[in-house]
Amino acid sequence: VVEVVAAAGEGDVVVADHSAIKNLPTLGVGLGYRERYRSDLFLNRSSVDFLEITADHFFDATGEKLEELELLAENFVLIPHGLSMSFGSAEGLDSAYVEKFAGLVEKLNPPWWSEHIAFTRAGGVDIGHLTPLPFSSEAVDVLCRNIAEAKKQISTPLILENISFNLRFPGAEMTEGQFITRLLENSGAGLLLDVTNLYGNSRNHRYDPSEFLDELPLDRVVQLHFVGGLEQEGRFIDSHSTETPEPIWQLLAEVLQRCQVKGMILERDENFPPYPELRRELSRARQLFKGVPSQ
Ligand SMILES: [Fe+2]
């Protein structure tokens, strides 16, 4: 059981246990599992080192869905990735949701699990999508309190993902980089760095992604996400609908040079291509991943 152990600064909620993140195994390169690619994955077993599954799709699972999960688990390392934990909700977590998540983690025994730095629920209402938080100490405290609550039931190491956002909430007391740093330091969580989200936010909010990386504790980056999106009127839309474009490959190369990443996941969700196209991207990612001496 992880407790709130100390107060680092005025009002800071600290639940950190950093050792778990440091010793995670290296998994390699994989795909965000989508049902339509099930047979392709079994036919091309060696094209991925592991899979990320959307945890929510396996809660309250039917017999058929459970069989699918068992078959996947027998053949691949599965990382559960959540959509609706809503760590940023000031009202606290939905205990039934945490319980379902804990059940799945117990079943799969993964090296880590992941969620977003966001809220999806407010005042008991499900907003239905990942909403950014103001970059304030109060928001860091809410996140840490909720993370501590989840850790009581899920002791497996947690990594948190940076989201893409169009709107910046008012009330920012720090930059996004400082916000994430403080969150990782106080919660003990690792970072799931979505490189596409970093690229899109840096384009849309006009900042240098390398300078953003300078602000982060890079030794806490555990996993990456990458995929392509749409260009629309000079803005980058995070649609997960195209192949990874050159500037994102370049940013991935920089991140891999600077961080000891344990795994990276291609996260395609729209405009699904035939599997060989994904396989090409996966093998390019593998070249990059293996080309870094520290991996
Ligand atoms: Fe992502």
Side-chain angles (χ1 to χ4, degrees):
V1 174
V2 176
E3 288 174 76
V4 174
V5 288
E10 212 186 327
D12 268 17
V13 176
V14 179
V15 290
D17 168 14
H18 296 274
S19 57
I21 293 299
K22 297 237 168 356
N23 303 317
L24 293 175
T26 298
L27 296 186
V29 176
L31 184 69
Y33 173 71
R34 311 294 176 248
E35 214 176 299
R36 66 176 57 232
Y37 292 120
R38 179 170 47 186
S39 52
D40 291 303
L41 281 163
F42 281 98
L43 291 169
N44 298 270
R45 172 68 192 80
S46 62
S47 62
V48 291
D49 301 312
F50 72 112
L51 297 174
E52 183 184 79
I53 59 165
T54 302
D56 309 55
H57 294 171
F58 296 92
F59 297 159
D60 309 316
T62 57
E64 202 186 336
K65 206 73 189 145
L66 278 177
E67 271 177 36
E68 180 186 17
L69 183 65
E70 267 152 34
L71 190 64
L72 286 170
E74 279 166 23
N75 288 278
F76 301 93
V77 172
L78 303 179
I79 299 290
H81 181 53
L83 295 178
S84 310
M85 183 65 84
S86 198
F87 277 134
S89 287
E91 70 213 58
L93 300 176
D94 172 346
S95 56
Y97 185 91
V98 181
E99 219 161 278
K100 286 177 194 171
F101 215 127
L104 183 67
V105 170
E106 197 181 341
K107 197 179 178 71
L108 299 176
N109 191 25
W112 66 80
W113 63 288
S114 59
E115 249 295 348
H116 300 84
I117 305 170
F119 69 101
T120 58
R121 195 168 20 82
V125 178
D126 218 317
I127 308 167
H129 100 110
L130 299 167
T131 309
L133 291 152
F135 303 138
S136 68
S137 351
E138 199 182 342
V140 172
D141 284 354
V142 164
L143 287 160
C144 287
R145 219 167 271 132
N146 286 335
I147 289 166
E149 203 49 42
K151 280 185 174 178
K152 287 182 188 165
Q153 290 194 62
I154 310 173
S155 58
T156 300
L158 165 69
I159 64 171
L160 298 168
E161 178 176 354
N162 58 308
I163 65 166
S164 75
F165 50 86
N166 291 322
L167 166 103
R168 278 178 193 269
F169 260 72
E173 296 161 0
M174 53 192 114
T175 63
E176 187 191 5
Q178 290 163 341
F179 178 77
I180 293 175
T181 300
R182 185 112 153 244
L183 171 61
L184 300 181
E185 273 166 7
N186 290 3
S187 67
L191 185 62
L192 164 46
L193 180 64
D194 188 312
V195 174
T196 300
N197 290 348
L198 170 55
Y199 172 77
N201 285 339
S202 72
R203 283 267 317 270
N204 297 344
H205 302 290
R206 297 194 172 80
Y207 62 84
D208 178 348
S210 302
E211 281 173 19
F212 178 87
L213 292 174
D214 292 340
E215 285 191 301
L216 297 181
L218 295 179
D219 60 337
R220 306 202 59 78
V221 179
V222 173
Q223 193 200 306
L224 309 180
H225 274 166
F226 66 102
V227 67
L230 289 174
E231 296 287 340
Q232 223 167 61
E233 293 164 7
R235 289 182 69 78
F236 181 84
I237 312 287
D238 176 40
S239 55
H240 296 199
S241 65
T242 68
E243 67 175 318
T244 310
E246 263 339 288
I248 294 183
W249 285 114
Q250 282 166 25
L251 191 52
L252 279 166
E254 179 183 343
V255 169
L256 287 168
Q257 286 292 339
R258 297 181 64 179
C259 316
Q260 291 219 8
V261 171
K262 308 289 187 185
M264 51 196 288
I265 286 284
L266 173 59
E267 203 182 26
R268 187 70 175 254
D269 284 303
E270 297 278 342
N271 187 28
F272 292 104
Y275 190 72
E277 287 183 32
L278 295 186
R279 202 175 52 204
R280 264 200 302 279
E281 284 191 79
L282 291 165
S283 71
R284 181 167 176 183
R286 262 191 178 156
Q287 297 289 335
L288 262 185
F289 190 81
K290 286 188 183 146
V292 180
S294 56
Q295 304 304 327

